[in-house]
PDB file of all heavy atoms in Angstrom:
ATOM      1  N   ALA D  49     -74.485  61.544  65.974  1.00 98.00           N
ATOM      2  CA  ALA D  49     -75.735  60.982  66.372  1.00 98.00           C
ATOM      3  C   ALA D  49     -75.563  59.371  66.244  1.00 98.00           C
ATOM      4  O   ALA D  49     -75.717  58.804  65.070  1.00 98.00           O
ATOM      5  CB  ALA D  49     -76.924  61.415  65.483  1.00 98.00           C
ATOM      6  N   LEU D 131     -73.604  70.284  61.236  1.00 98.00           N
ATOM      7  CA  LEU D 131     -73.444  68.963  60.581  1.00 98.00           C
ATOM      8  C   LEU D 131     -73.762  67.840  61.539  1.00 98.00           C
ATOM      9  O   LEU D 131     -73.244  67.817  62.691  1.00 98.00           O
ATOM     10  CB  LEU D 131     -72.002  68.736  60.046  1.00 98.00           C
ATOM     11  CG  LEU D 131     -71.778  67.376  59.334  1.00 98.00           C
ATOM     12  CD1 LEU D 131     -72.604  67.252  58.071  1.00 98.00           C
ATOM     13  CD2 LEU D 131     -70.249  67.262  58.995  1.00 98.00           C
ATOM     14  N   VAL D 171     -76.740  66.706  57.013  1.00 97.00           N
ATOM     15  CA  VAL D 171     -76.615  65.328  57.543  1.00 97.00           C
ATOM     16  C   VAL D 171     -75.766  64.528  56.684  1.00 97.00           C
ATOM     17  O   VAL D 171     -75.838  64.579  55.432  1.00 97.00           O
ATOM     18  CB  VAL D 171     -78.019  64.665  57.600  1.00 97.00           C
ATOM     19  CG1 VAL D 171     -77.822  63.202  58.183  1.00 97.00           C
ATOM     20  CG2 VAL D 171     -78.961  65.432  58.544  1.00 97.00           C
ATOM     21  N   TRP D 184     -68.432  44.682  56.200  1.00 96.00           N
ATOM     22  CA  TRP D 184     -69.145  45.767  55.337  1.00 96.00           C
ATOM     23  C   TRP D 184     -68.005  46.742  54.832  1.00 96.00           C
ATOM     24  O   TRP D 184     -68.051  47.001  53.680  1.00 96.00           O
ATOM     25  CB  TRP D 184     -70.128  46.571  56.184  1.00 96.00           C
ATOM     26  CG  TRP D 184     -70.937  47.506  55.354  1.00 96.00           C
ATOM     27  CD1 TRP D 184     -72.136  47.314  54.780  1.00 96.00           C
ATOM     28  CD2 TRP D 184     -70.575  48.918  55.056  1.00 96.00           C
ATOM     29  NE1 TRP D 184     -72.558  48.430  54.169  1.00 96.00           N
ATOM     30  CE2 TRP D 184     -71.613  49.391  54.149  1.00 96.00           C
ATOM     31  CE3 TRP D 184     -69.460  49.669  55.243  1.00 96.00           C
ATOM     32  CZ2 TRP D 184     -71.626  50.648  53.706  1.00 96.00           C
ATOM     33  CZ3 TRP D 184     -69.470  50.960  54.771  1.00 96.00           C
ATOM     34  CH2 TRP D 184     -70.475  51.495  54.010  1.00 96.00           C
TER      35      TRP D 184
END
Side-chain angles (χ1 to χ4, degrees):
L131 179 64
V171 179
W184 187 94

